Amino acid sequence: MFKTKIHTLIFLLVIIFGCSSNKIVVTDSQKTEAQHYLEQGNAKLSLKEFDEAIADYTKAIEINPEFADAYYHRGEIKYYLKDYSGALEDYTNAIEINPQQELVYDSRGEVKMYLKDYNGALEDYSKAIEINPQSSLAYYNRAIVKGALYDYQGAIEDNTSAIKINPLHEKAYNNRGRAKLEINNYSGAIEDFTKTLEIDPKDAYAYFNRGLSENLLEKFSEAIKDFDKAIEFDSQLTTAYYFRGISKYGLNDYNGAIQDYNKAIEINPLNVLAYYNRGLAKYDLQDYRGAIQDYDKAIELNPEYVVAYNNRGLVKFRLKEYNEAIEDYTKAIELNPLYHNASLNRGISKSALKDYEGAIEDFSNAIELNPAITNTYYFRGYARLQVKDYQGAIEDYNKTIELNPQETEAYYNRGLAKYTLRDYRGAIEDYNKTIALNPQFAIAYNNRGFAKFMLQDYQGAIEDYNKTIELDPQYERAYNNRGNAKSALNDYSGAIEDFNKVIEINPQEAVAYYNIACVYSQQRDLSQSLLFLEKAFVKGYNNFSWIEKDSDWNNIRNTIEFKNLFEKYKNK
């Protein structure tokens, strides 16, 4: 969503003087010598002799360990060289020496952004603003972080502050417009992109973003003009061709849309959406074979592209290739049982083949006999869950709730069905209702936490697991799940504490030992990681295929110790 500002390594001539503590006594001659190495490093930096510059800054630090400026400059080079952990350490040292350095907080915030420590970045930018409330850059960067955290209103407010300080901050207007797009304030977004273009009339992305906003308002002609300008200033901007094609399609200019999709594909042959939308345009031009070729390509690039299977089925239906159409609808349903269009279309194709039983198989004798019995829908929904007919289960629970809006278990089980279909937001809504009806339903909190986890709302998940544990302190799964959420937030000590609690409740729980091993692996603690991995194996953990692809082991996977332990138990 938000485009993180590109950090260019700039040779800074302004020296940030550290506030020396009285812990280390540095003589004037040492300070002078350290300053010499700093200036020497600066000179090498200006020549892009990065390793040599780092060596000089390191020498300056060795002579004067309280030299905040040397840490800062060395951190800048490490950042530029994408040594983010090294840069983070140097910035932190600079801040410890002198906590009032606005630029260092800003730089450390950027490193944390790259490391996806958004909350940490938020704290640093907030500190930069506290030190200098007139820092347009700090407000702008904090807005980027808030956007990454889906706090679009907060992003809008910070971009607004940046603009008040610097009315010519075109990037702040642009990013404020993007935030407004996310909350569907398209008119407000257009105003911001227009202001960006007043400041920089050659900003291709601002034209593109304004065109996108206009497209969403179905102002297709205006959108096309802006996409034209975006392409004028950046002829390789694939998305501009793609969305100009969508705008032309909206005006029923199918041939014009195809031309733009052709160009988008020429620039990026892996553009799945361009193939898919070109297929739509060809279908409307009754070029059915051409449409199938495009859907074939879209599916080749993305074998889980549900809508492409459905639409290819529609084209085959037009060509009276009913069995082939059914295969495509079946694949679409297999990938997403909630996609009702695929079910409907498959039913139509079966009807064309006179397979009426297949078309009406969702009906049941019990409901035909008495459609007013709540429990019939509820138990049929449960049975459909067991046979993985999730959409059918959802329909039955809908009916259960229609007849009895206070049926707690129906909301709970509908949440299970939605979760299994990866409709995590829908699952959360049902668990919310379950909890409203029964605030003591411990497992509902746990399951809501798991859905939040899948949406990467780790803090929200932890809150739900906390409530589960409060209601049922012996529910080991809640501790295990909370440990996973803490691990996702890099709270490794907290994660280990939770996994140990699982073991305390159930000493035979092999997964808990495995999870502890994973946490130590993430911390590159080889000995502890292998210790707990072996304990997991001893307790019966045997999912070796998962271990082979689990990214948690990437830090130590290639060590001989890990390989030996893995092979030892795999071959048992």
Side-chain angles (χ1 to χ4, degrees), residues 8-27:
T8 303
L9 188 66
I10 300 174
F11 172 54
L12 298 177
L13 296 178
V14 178
I15 303 300
I16 304 173
F17 291 99
C19 297
S20 176
S21 71
N22 57 10
K23 294 181 180 178
I24 298 176
V25 177
V26 182
T27 66

Side-chain angles (χ1 to χ4, degrees), residues 278-291:
R278 190 171 70 178
L280 288 178
K282 290 179 179 179
Y283 177 87
D284 285 311
L285 290 172
Q286 299 183 9
D287 177 9
Y288 299 131
R289 294 298 176 192

Side-chain angles (χ1 to χ4, degrees), residues 30-31 33-38 40-41 44 51-67 70-71 74:
Q30 287 174 318
K31 290 180 180 179
E33 186 180 3
Q35 181 67 30
H36 167 73
Y37 278 105
L38 175 73
Q40 188 170 283
K44 291 175 181 176
D51 291 338
E52 293 83 352
I54 287 177
D56 282 332
Y57 295 139
T58 300
K59 186 66 177 178
I61 292 167
E62 289 173 357
I63 297 169
N64 180 5
E66 297 290 298
F67 202 173
Y71 280 109
R74 190 173 70 177

Side-chain angles (χ1 to χ4, degrees), residues 104-369:
V104 186
Y105 283 105
D106 189 80
S107 293
R108 191 172 70 172
E110 287 189 49
V111 172
K112 291 179 179 179
M113 273 285 288
Y114 273 99
L115 295 174
K116 297 186 178 179
D117 176 13
Y118 299 124
N119 289 316
L122 201 65
E123 291 175 2
D124 278 339
Y125 292 133
S126 296
K127 185 64 179 179
I129 291 167
E130 177 186 325
I131 295 170
N132 179 12
Q134 294 304 305
S135 175
S136 174
L137 178 63
Y139 279 109
Y140 169 75
N141 284 338
R142 191 171 71 175
I144 294 174
V145 178
K146 289 181 177 179
L149 291 169
Y150 308 106
D151 176 14
Y152 301 119
Q153 190 58 49
I156 290 170
E157 292 170 1
D158 274 346
N159 278 311
T160 299
S161 295
I163 290 165
K164 286 181 180 178
I165 296 168
N166 178 9
L168 297 180
H169 199 322
E170 74 275 9
K171 290 184 178 179
Y173 285 107
N174 188 71
N175 277 338
R176 188 172 69 177
R178 293 293 300 182
K180 289 178 180 179
L181 264 180
E182 292 292 340
I183 62 173
N184 302 326
N185 180 6
Y186 305 132
S187 297
I190 288 171
E191 291 176 3
D192 278 335
F193 298 136
T194 299
K195 185 64 178 179
T196 303
L197 291 168
E198 289 177 7
I199 299 171
D200 182 3
K202 295 184 178 181
D203 190 329
Y205 287 98
Y207 281 112
F208 168 76
N209 287 332
R210 190 170 69 178
L212 180 59
S213 304
E214 291 159 344
N215 183 285
L216 292 167
L217 288 171
E218 298 187 357
K219 296 181 177 180
F220 300 123
S221 296
E222 292 89 335
I224 289 170
K225 293 177 182 177
D226 274 334
F227 293 135
D228 287 345
K229 293 295 289 185
I231 291 166
E232 176 186 337
F233 292 114
D234 186 350
S235 62
Q236 297 302 301
L237 189 55
T238 309
T239 49
Y241 291 102
Y242 170 72
F243 279 102
R244 188 172 69 178
I246 289 177
S247 294
K248 290 178 180 179
Y249 184 89
L251 294 174
N252 299 325
D253 177 9
Y254 305 127
N255 284 309
I258 288 172
Q259 291 174 3
D260 276 335
Y261 298 139
N262 289 345
K263 186 63 178 179
I265 291 167
E266 176 187 327
I267 297 172
N268 178 14
L270 301 180
N271 191 328
V272 178
L273 292 175
Y275 287 106
Y276 170 78
N277 282 288
R278 190 171 70 178
L280 288 178
K282 290 179 179 179
Y283 177 87
D284 285 311
L285 290 172
Q286 299 183 9
D287 177 9
Y288 299 131
R289 294 298 176 192
I292 287 176
Q293 290 175 357
D294 278 335
Y295 292 135
D296 287 346
K297 188 64 178 181
I299 291 168
E300 175 189 330
L301 293 171
N302 180 7
E304 296 188 356
Y305 199 166
V306 175
V307 183
Y309 285 105
N310 178 75
N311 284 16
R312 189 172 67 179
L314 287 172
V315 179
K316 291 176 179 178
F317 181 86
R318 285 285 185 180
L319 294 170
K320 299 184 179 181
E321 297 173 357
Y322 302 127
N323 284 310
E324 291 84 350
I326 287 173
E327 290 177 1
D328 277 336
Y329 297 140
T330 300
K331 184 63 177 179
I333 294 168
E334 176 187 321
L335 291 170
N336 183 7
L338 282 175
Y339 189 43
H340 65 275
N341 282 340
S343 297
L344 171 63
N345 292 332
R346 187 173 67 176
I348 293 172
S349 293
K350 287 182 178 179
S351 294
L353 292 171
K354 300 183 180 181
D355 177 12
Y356 303 118
E357 288 296 320
I360 63 173
E361 63 184 358
D362 288 337
F363 296 100
S364 79
N365 291 330
I367 291 174
E368 288 177 357
L369 291 170

Side-chain angles (χ1 to χ4, degrees), residues 499-510:
F499 296 137
N500 279 326
K501 184 65 178 179
V502 175
I503 294 169
E504 177 185 325
I505 296 171
N506 180 6
Q508 301 307 312
E509 180 51 69

